[in-house]
Amino acid sequence: MKKPVYIFSDGELHRKDNTLYFEGENGRKFIPVENTSEIMIFGEISLNKRFLEFISQSEIILHFFNHYGYYIGSFYPREHLNSGYMILKQAENYIDEKKRLFIAQRFVEGAYRNIRQVLKYYQNRGKNLDDIIYAIERLGDLIAGTSDVNELMAIEGNIREYYYKSFDEILGNSDFEFDVRSKRPPKNSLNVLISFGNSLMYTTVLSEVYKTHLDPRIGYLHSTNFRRFTLNLDVSEIFKPIIVDRVIFTVVSKNIIKKDDFDQDAEGLLLKDRAKMAFIEEYENKLKTTINHRSLGNNVSYRRLIRLELYKLEKHLMEEQEYTPFVAQW
Amino acid sequence: MYEEVTGSLVQSYNICKRQVWLMAHQIIPDQEHPYIEMGRLIDDISYDRDRKKINFENVVIDLVRNDNGNLLVGEIKKSSKAVESARLQLLFYLYKLKQSGIDAKGQLFFPDERKKIDVRLTSESEMEVVSAINEIRDIINMDKAPAFKKIPYCKNCGYKEFCLS
């Protein structure tokens, strides 16, 4: 199984013949090409074209994050799986507004159902979430009747607004109060964790898209402008509640990340490297967790589930099987 | 019409028509699938004294050998389980070579099983190849992929998760 490699230190990435290594303060560290799916870069790194060439050949993606842990961008090697047929189908489903809306609605529906599932779980554990669940369900009922993507986006935004309000009740920790959703820079610790987790999710889905025949530039919920990746943002919506948010609940409630894991600097709040690593460890564990897949008849990891979701989308585009989003059972 | 018939399409033809259609539309199977990685490796490390991977028109021949002055072309397989489809694939290569005026003998190689099987292009087997080519073309030209049907082969197929997701 190929694994992502995370780099937090500063240094240089090199190619030596047919191997890769990282040279930092603590000496050389080799990166096993055969076992690496992607490299997540948080530190200050220099690299050269020879390195990029080899990375490209080995079909490894580089994801870059800035000082604050926000996603900057990716080095996405040239497509290795090219299906003209699939790209045409993907575009056809974007251009036709009805078809586009249908897929966009399924993504929001998946996000909504998984959000509801997370809330139900905590409701069953005695958290007072009745009002929020009620409000979210009323909004959820409106998804199917939306007549364009903007209207759909507005409903999705409202659902999320209610949903994030529930975090205070779920966490019950005054060090991590939600207040309002703030980005770039996030204004409080909880928002830092949400942004960081979502960034990770976008790259995970992008890496899975790379292994399919889909073009990440053509999304359905998030408008395509052909300059940036959007399909991964779409599919992330489905998995954010059950992967990222659950990791946040874990790291806060188990005190893995505490108030003093954040630094304030001129531009905003900063998560310390130690805390980033702790978050990533929980996140990777979550992706490795397996659940029983009914039609496949075996256990699949959450990471695999993301790939299956993309396969389902491919089959929808091929007009084989109508796409229904994954909804967690608990 | 998307592409010409290739060896791997012929090989799939005997096993799963859906696979033929998907492959022809470049919806290639999961490259991390252990059997696909294994196949790549076996192909890579076996018979490395022979000339390997000969490209000829739209055909890629695994191995070419001189057999007492005759040309011998070989196809390397992991196991003899799907011997019939491997045979048809090799017949297809022999047929393509014959069309270009090259007379060759064929042999299937199963390095793991230390087994070889001779394959000859006869008038009978030539008919078999021609009808397979025609039917493959028909499958490729279908608007949609043939519907999924569960067969024993699915268990170890690189398309398993695609078909069953």
Side-chain angles (χ1 to χ4, degrees):
Chain A
M1 203 48 198
K2 293 185 175 193
K3 283 187 297 205
V5 166
Y6 288 84
I7 298 179
F8 280 94
S9 3
D10 301 345
E12 289 166 12
L13 277 167
H14 290 281
R15 167 189 185 169
K16 187 170 188 302
D17 304 322
N18 287 324
T19 52
L20 299 175
Y21 68 88
F22 172 74
E23 185 133 50
E25 276 179 3
N26 306 319
R28 272 185 194 186
K29 221 175 157 189
F30 281 86
I31 299 169
V33 180
E34 296 297 326
N35 296 325
T36 304
S37 53
E38 63 220 274
I39 304 178
M40 318 283 278
I41 300 169
F42 292 86
E44 290 305 318
I45 296 294
S46 356
L47 41 81
N48 59 20
K49 188 174 118 247
R50 260 168 55 78
F51 175 82
L52 291 176
E53 250 171 50
F54 188 57
I55 275 282
S56 210
Q57 219 177 68
S58 319
E59 293 166 9
I60 296 172
I61 308 186
L62 306 177
H63 298 297
F64 297 94
F65 298 82
N66 73 7
H67 186 53
Y68 295 91
Y70 301 148
Y71 173 65
I72 304 172
S74 303
F75 177 72
Y76 194 81
R78 68 177 142 53
E79 289 281 356
H80 58 120
L81 302 178
N82 262 318
S83 169
Y85 168 80
M86 192 58 81
I87 291 175
L88 287 178
K89 286 286 169 192
Q90 226 187 312
E92 178 195 322
N93 277 267
Y94 181 84
I95 293 165
D96 184 318
E97 276 176 35
K98 269 197 190 131
K99 288 182 180 173
R100 179 183 165 193
L101 182 64
F102 179 86
I103 298 172
Q105 282 173 334
R106 297 292 83 73
F107 288 145
V108 174
E109 188 189 301
Y112 154 66
R113 288 187 186 277
N114 284 318
I115 282 173
R116 187 175 165 276
Q117 213 64 339
V118 167
L119 294 174
K120 284 269 175 192
Y121 173 87
Y122 285 100
Q123 188 185 39
N124 286 336
R125 266 147 196 78
K127 299 286 182 186
N128 179 18
L129 298 167
D130 303 8
D131 293 348
I132 288 176
I133 291 175
Y134 180 82
I136 283 180
E137 283 176 343
R138 294 293 75 74
L139 286 164
D141 291 340
L142 301 175
I143 294 170
T146 48
S147 51
D148 62 54
V149 174
N150 287 334
E151 194 186 339
L152 181 66
M153 284 282 250
I155 290 173
E156 197 240 14
N158 289 338
I159 290 175
R160 254 176 214 285
E161 213 171 295
Y162 276 108
Y163 172 54
Y164 284 132
K165 274 184 199 155
S166 75
F167 278 34
D168 288 343
E169 170 72 17
I170 291 172
L171 290 171
N173 184 331
S174 56
D175 288 341
F176 291 89
E177 267 173 5
F178 180 70
D179 192 20
V180 288
R181 178 78 180 111
S182 51
K183 300 178 206 176
R184 290 171 200 274
K187 290 200 173 58
N188 61 39
S189 307
L190 188 53
N191 273 296
V192 170
L193 294 182
I194 293 171
S195 289
F196 184 62
N198 289 348
S199 290
L200 292 176
M201 191 81 248
Y202 298 146
T203 61
T204 303
V205 178
L206 182 58
S207 295
E208 292 304 314
V209 170
Y210 185 61
K211 293 171 202 153
T212 70
H213 313 83
L214 296 164
D215 188 319
R217 292 169 300 181
I218 307 176
Y220 297 92
L221 179 61
H222 297 83
S223 304
T224 290
N225 61 19
F226 289 103
R227 283 188 307 169
R228 53 175 293 193
F229 301 134
T230 49
L231 184 64
N232 57 326
L233 307 185
D234 285 5
V235 176
S236 292
E237 295 298 331
I238 298 169
F239 293 98
K240 266 149 56 172
I242 51 176
I243 297 178
V244 175
D245 300 339
R246 282 183 170 154
V247 168
I248 294 174
F249 299 150
T250 305
V251 295
V252 173
S253 64
K254 288 190 176 164
N255 273 325
I256 296 170
I257 294 180
K258 294 183 285 286
K259 195 183 176 183
D260 59 11
D261 283 318
F262 299 83
D263 279 333
Q264 178 79 45
D265 84 350
E267 285 190 57
L269 268 186
L270 224 129
L271 193 58
K272 289 179 185 165
D273 278 353
R274 188 211 66 81
K276 279 185 201 146
M277 287 183 218
F279 190 99
I280 285 165
E281 197 183 325
E282 285 301 320
Y283 177 77
E284 285 292 334
N285 281 340
K286 183 58 96 182
L287 287 179
K288 272 187 247 157
T289 309
T290 61
I291 60 163
N292 189 276
H293 191 284
R294 277 193 206 136
S295 50
L296 273 175
N298 52 339
N299 287 342
V300 294
S301 65
Y302 275 99
R303 185 186 279 278
R304 202 65 183 173
L305 218 48
I306 298 170
R307 180 92 66 90
L308 296 181
E309 205 63 11
L310 298 168
Y311 287 155
K312 274 155 61 184
L313 184 61
E314 288 188 333
K315 288 195 285 187
H316 177 86
L317 301 174
M318 292 164 66
E319 288 160 75
E320 261 205 337
Q321 189 180 302
E322 200 167 89
Y323 173 64
T324 51
F326 171 77
V327 180
Q329 293 303 302
W330 59 278
Chain B
M1 189 67 205
Y2 285 92
E3 67 172 55
E4 253 318 301
V5 173
T6 64
S8 48
L9 292 181
V10 175
Q11 205 235 333
S12 303
Y13 168 74
N14 259 345
I15 300 166
C16 174
K17 310 281 186 269
R18 179 176 168 81
Q19 190 176 347
V20 172
W21 192 96
L22 291 171
M23 261 187 194
H25 289 74
Q26 289 92 45
I27 300 167
I28 65 158
D30 180 9
Q31 294 300 297
E32 289 165 8
H33 192 279
Y35 275 67
I36 288 173
E37 290 194 329
M38 215 187 284
R40 219 183 286 139
L41 199 68
I42 289 171
D43 181 89
D44 220 35
I45 60 175
S46 337
Y47 311 107
D48 57 1
R49 274 170 302 176
D50 295 291
R51 289 193 64 190
K52 298 278 287 291
K53 291 286 172 219
I54 309 300
N55 279 288
F56 165 75
E57 287 179 18
N58 59 330
V59 150
V60 187
I61 294 167
D62 278 354
L63 175 158
V64 176
R65 204 180 258 184
N66 185 337
D67 183 57
N68 299 323
N70 293 316
L71 182 68
L72 182 98
V73 299
E75 174 65 22
I76 304 165
K77 289 283 182 245
K78 178 181 153 295
S79 96
S80 56
K81 229 170 151 186
V83 64
E84 262 317 298
S85 60
R87 195 184 68 91
L88 192 62
Q89 183 183 0
L90 192 49
L91 283 172
F92 168 72
Y93 294 158
L94 296 174
Y95 170 77
K96 291 294 268 187
L97 288 168
K98 190 187 164 191
Q99 279 191 319
S100 310
I102 302 167
D103 223 13
K105 297 199 291 183
Q107 208 163 48
L108 292 172
F109 294 87
F110 304 99
D112 266 15
E113 302 170 5
R114 300 178 184 281
K115 204 159 108 185
K116 292 171 190 169
I117 296 173
D118 285 327
V119 177
R120 294 280 174 280
L121 191 68
T122 61
S123 56
E124 203 181 321
S125 56
E126 199 173 320
M127 298 237 301
E128 208 185 324
V129 173
V130 172
S131 82
I133 292 173
N134 286 331
E135 217 181 306
I136 288 168
R137 288 197 174 129
D138 289 344
I139 296 168
I140 298 175
N141 282 322
M142 286 165 65
D143 242 13
K144 288 184 193 175
F148 169 69
K149 215 169 75 194
K150 196 163 184 168
I151 54 171
Y153 181 84
C154 294
K155 201 161 55 116
N156 296 319
C157 178
Y159 285 104
K160 180 187 171 190
E161 295 188 325
F162 178 84
C163 288
L164 284 171
S165 63

